[in-house]
Amino acid sequence: MAGLRAILREDPNLVVRSKRSATVIGWCAKCVAIEAAGDATFEVAVVVGGWEGGAGSEGAVGRENFGECVDLWLGFSAVAVGEGSPALRRDKKRVNQAAVDRAVKAIEHLYKLHTRIPGLIQASNMNHTRGFIEFWLPILSGLSQQTYHPIRVIRQHALTYLQRAILSPLLEATSYEDSWYDCFETVLFPLLEELLKPEVARLDSPAAIDETRMRAAALLCKIFLQFVARLMGSMEFSRLWGRILAYLGRYMRSSGSELYEGVLESLKNMLLVMANQGLFQAPGAKSVEKGEATWLANELWEVAWKEVQSVAPGLKDELFPVVKNGEGIVI
């Protein structure tokens, strides 16, 4: 691998011209776990991706090997900790810092693969739905899987890049009718479910895992608020709203007071933003909106307090105190 690295340093576009990218990616995949070859393997992988191939280089990433490229970057995270039980993997002496550093950089490169997607969709003449399945979903799922990695810094970077990917203008540009629902159903909800599992909780200290859970809950709320205008036109919107609130409730019940308070703040912010936008209000409250919009806002109100009342019983009165006058209820 060191010899190949030396050759590619002289001519970074050699892999693309020789049409041997599949072979090179296969070599990299086999060498990822070899510590002595770690740095050389990473440099070769960067060249294959086109990130150091000079101006205009697209690297060797194509539709036929996109999945292998995703798996290659994920492989660097997989070897960042030693073998053995979760308890042993918590032992900092077993952590190879060089491997961790490569894993963090690999997560960034996994994220950067999304910049290739519009071109790949166009070149493959596929629709955006298929493009999401073949290209976006492997990246988003890969990043989400790293949010419950045993090593904290890897989890942090994975959450950061996952948020950037979902909020990327390129995802917007290649979206389709159900894009945002699919992001919740296939990426965010599975992520939240995994972080609640006892075996994941044992991967790191309780405080560190709670920090990750808090950030994941905040991410859930941020993504929902970003795309609520697109989501609310669907018949499934109330069900999605209920699932989001249910996950926030489970997180508030799952651990200590810091996690509870952190998730509670995310919940408060989400409810207040929706109320300010006229998307969330009590039945009988004054509203400039009429008809379907008011009905939906009332339904979301009812669904919310059914889920929230048990975990934050005083929240409704805190955020939306009721003032009665002669014309009805003012919230």
Side-chain angles (χ1 to χ4, degrees):
M1 190 57 69
L4 179 58
R5 175 179 61 178
I7 293 173
L8 292 179
R9 281 177 173 173
E10 295 294 325
D11 185 358
N13 290 310
L14 178 64
V15 173
V16 179
R17 293 202 312 271
S18 68
K19 307 297 183 181
R20 299 298 297 272
S21 62
T23 301
V24 174
I25 292 172
W27 288 344
C28 289
K30 291 180 182 299
C31 293
V32 164
I34 302 174
E35 176 55 31
D39 288 338
T41 302
F42 189 89
E43 287 189 38
V44 172
V46 169
V47 173
V48 171
W51 309 119
E52 292 187 1
S57 175
E58 290 296 318
V61 179
R63 180 182 181 180
E64 70 284 349
N65 64 17
F66 193 85
E68 286 76 9
C69 290
V70 170
D71 290 342
L72 175 58
W73 292 124
L74 291 174
F76 287 100
S77 291
V79 300
V81 290
E83 298 295 329
S85 67
L88 286 174
R89 287 184 296 187
R90 282 205 302 262
D91 184 353
K92 303 305 180 185
K93 294 179 181 179
R94 295 179 62 91
V95 175
N96 182 319
Q97 189 58 48
V100 172
D101 293 341
R102 286 193 294 269
V104 169
K105 294 177 183 177
I107 289 172
E108 179 183 2
H109 283 289
L110 173 60
Y111 161 75
K112 287 165 63 176
L113 274 179
H114 85 278
T115 63
R116 305 284 195 242
I117 293 177
L120 291 172
I121 291 176
Q122 184 176 16
S124 303
N125 196 29
M126 64 175 61
N127 61 42
H128 287 179
T129 303
R130 189 67 201 171
F132 181 86
I133 295 171
E134 287 204 23
F135 302 128
W136 280 107
L137 189 55
I139 292 175
L140 298 177
S141 296
L143 290 171
S144 72
Q145 290 165 15
Q146 302 313 303
T147 65
Y148 40 92
H149 193 279
I151 295 178
R152 179 173 175 265
V153 67
I154 294 177
R155 296 197 302 272
Q156 290 175 325
H157 278 77
L159 279 166
T160 297
Y161 284 115
L162 179 61
Q163 175 174 311
R164 292 182 186 178
I166 295 177
L167 297 178
S168 168
L170 295 181
L171 180 55
E172 177 86 22
T174 57
S175 65
Y176 54 97
E177 185 177 0
D178 293 325
S179 292
W180 316 118
Y181 275 94
D182 287 345
C183 283
F184 281 97
E185 294 291 344
T186 62
V187 180
L188 293 173
F189 289 156
L191 180 163
L192 293 164
E193 193 67 39
E194 286 294 326
L195 285 174
L196 285 169
K197 291 183 176 179
E199 56 267 33
V200 172
R202 292 192 290 267
L203 291 176
D204 207 338
S205 69
I209 292 297
D210 278 357
E211 177 197 30
T212 301
R213 289 171 172 171
M214 193 184 307
R215 289 190 61 189
L219 174 62
L220 174 71
C221 295
K222 184 179 182 67
I223 299 301
F224 176 76
L225 289 175
Q226 181 71 27
F227 300 115
V228 64
R230 297 172 178 81
L231 294 165
M232 64 185 297
S234 170
M235 296 292 291
E236 295 293 312
F237 184 61
S238 293
R239 186 181 69 85
L240 177 70
W241 173 242
R243 287 195 69 188
I244 289 171
L245 293 169
Y247 271 112
L248 294 177
R250 290 173 65 189
Y251 271 55
M252 292 168 73
R253 296 185 188 95
S254 67
S255 191
S257 59
E258 289 189 13
L259 177 60
Y260 179 93
E261 293 297 332
V263 176
L264 180 60
E265 287 303 311
S266 294
L267 174 60
K268 286 181 180 180
N269 179 66
M270 184 172 65
L271 296 178
L272 288 172
V273 170
M274 291 188 66
N276 289 336
Q277 294 178 353
L279 304 176
F280 184 70
Q281 66 181 33
K286 284 187 173 181
S287 173
V288 296
E289 299 287 346
K290 301 295 181 184
E292 187 70 20
T294 301
W295 177 86
L296 178 60
N298 295 163
E299 181 182 17
L300 298 183
W301 177 276
E302 298 292 345
V303 171
W305 300 120
K306 285 181 183 178
E307 293 286 351
V308 174
Q309 193 66 23
S310 63
V311 291
L315 186 60
K316 181 163 68 171
D317 291 338
E318 176 188 343
L319 298 183
F320 307 103
V322 177
V323 179
K324 294 185 178 181
N325 62 16
E327 299 179 2
I329 302 174
V330 179
I331 303 294

